[in-house]
Amino acid sequence: MQGFFTPSFFALMWLKLGLDAHLLPKSVEKNSSTAVLVLAGAAILLGLLLLGVYGRIIWLLSGEPLRWAGLGKREQRRFEDATTRSASADEAVKVAGLLELDQRFPSKASRLKPTRFGNAAAATISYAESRWHLDSNVVWPRIEAMLTEQENSLHGEATSNLAFLVNSTVGSGVVGTLLALDGVIYRFHDPEWSWIHLLPTYFVLPLAAAYLLYGVSVEALLRWNERIRASIDLHRLELYDRLGVRRPASPADEERLALVVNQLLVYGEPKLPTSARARTRP
């Protein structure tokens, strides 16, 4: 919850200090002694709202609305550049290109997103498929239920950090937009204000903060991705055991068994083929 409450509180505080008095409720006016308590209560409610729409925020940062506008060419160029470097004769350049493709892009060009954040998220979704031929959308919730206490702690920390940065990015963008409108409507004609005063306060600082936080949130997403990947690597065979599926004997055999597991979990096929059954069910 900290990753949702704290950004909400600071965003409301920023608005309190920056908005014109005509837009502020009496309970949060600049000289009100109870303003902080009121803002704290409002931040809790706003944090709960952000928690409810967090999936939609991730969807927005992934650039899905931009797909319809034909944007995302920069990410396409980054993907093509990394692909070119991954085929380089220089070993160091090749390794760097392969690492970027693995961590920051989905396994197929058709799944590219318009933003850096979206492609980093898609890289984790496609990881289980490209590495182990498993559908991560159905496999991960089962593996998550098998995590140890230490693993849950590591995942919780990474998730909280990611939520804090994502919500801070959105909060800074919203604050910058509202303060810009406030400056144009209420302060543009005020002789005590000029664009020299308005630019740093109403345009540069909040929107620059949103841009910087967005870049940091991508890095936080990569760290969160590593936790997910590690857990899938370590627990996928345990999942096979619990489903009554035998362990794979070779990479080709694992691909066949992964198809069985996907069908079992996605389509609810209760009957395992004899060739995929474990000899003794745990």
Side-chain angles (χ1 to χ4, degrees):
M1 187 60 190
Q2 182 180 358
F4 297 88
F5 167 77
T6 307
S8 301
F9 179 75
F10 281 105
L12 292 174
M13 283 293 295
W14 200 337
L15 289 175
K16 172 186 178 299
L17 296 174
L19 286 177
D20 187 88
H22 293 87
L23 299 177
L24 293 175
K26 291 184 179 180
S27 58
V28 293
E29 287 179 351
K30 299 182 184 299
N31 297 324
S32 173
S33 59
T34 60
V36 175
L37 294 176
V38 173
L39 289 178
I44 293 175
L45 295 177
L46 183 57
L48 292 173
L49 176 62
L50 289 175
L51 180 62
V53 299
Y54 187 62
R56 186 57 60 178
I57 293 175
I58 297 296
W59 180 79
L60 290 173
L61 291 183
S62 296
E64 291 300 335
L66 303 179
R67 185 184 298 276
W68 301 103
L71 301 179
K73 293 182 179 179
R74 182 180 179 183
E75 288 301 295
Q76 180 71 38
R77 290 195 298 269
R78 288 182 60 240
F79 177 76
E80 292 172 353
D81 177 65
T83 302
T84 301
R85 287 187 285 115
S86 69
S88 173
D90 188 324
E91 190 66 22
V93 174
K94 179 179 180 179
V95 170
L98 289 172
L99 187 62
E100 183 173 359
L101 286 175
D102 178 62
Q103 294 184 345
R104 296 180 181 269
F105 293 100
S107 57
K108 298 179 181 179
S110 59
R111 299 179 181 176
L112 280 175
K113 305 292 183 181
T115 65
R116 287 182 295 158
F117 190 96
N119 283 319
T124 293
I125 294 175
S126 65
Y127 173 79
E129 178 183 352
S130 61
R131 189 65 58 91
W132 307 117
H133 311 286
L134 293 168
D135 187 334
S136 61
N137 290 320
V138 294
V139 167
W140 171 243
R142 277 81 177 175
I143 290 179
E144 187 178 21
M146 298 187 294
L147 299 181
T148 64
E149 183 177 350
Q150 181 181 9
E151 289 171 324
N152 275 318
S153 176
L154 293 173
H155 278 280
E157 179 182 355
T159 301
S160 179
N161 291 339
L162 177 61
F164 174 80
L165 290 168
V166 165
N167 290 318
S168 296
T169 300
V170 174
S172 297
V174 171
V175 167
T177 302
L178 293 177
L179 290 180
L181 292 174
D182 172 62
V184 172
I185 296 172
Y186 289 98
R187 304 183 193 269
F188 181 74
H189 302 290
D190 190 339
E192 296 182 1
W193 285 80
S194 67
W195 284 105
I196 297 177
H197 296 92
L198 288 174
L199 282 174
T201 306
Y202 290 90
F203 294 94
V204 177
L205 290 180
L207 298 180
Y211 179 78
L212 294 175
L213 287 167
Y214 175 79
V216 178
S217 69
V218 173
E219 300 304 315
L221 176 61
L222 293 176
R223 292 191 294 271
W224 180 81
N225 290 348
E226 285 299 321
R227 303 295 188 199
I228 301 295
R229 293 179 176 212
S231 296
I232 292 175
D233 292 342
L234 295 176
H235 291 283
R236 77 186 195 285
L237 295 180
E238 182 182 352
L239 177 65
Y240 280 31
D241 293 340
R242 296 199 176 193
L243 293 175
V245 177
R246 65 175 176 83
R247 296 199 171 191
S250 66
D253 186 37
E254 181 156 10
E255 183 173 359
R256 290 190 293 269
L257 290 178
L259 177 61
V260 173
V261 172
N262 290 336
Q263 290 177 339
L264 175 65
L265 298 178
V266 175
Y267 302 111
E269 296 184 4
K271 186 175 182 181
L272 291 173
T274 304
S275 60
R277 293 180 186 175
R279 291 186 178 181
T280 57
R281 189 178 183 89

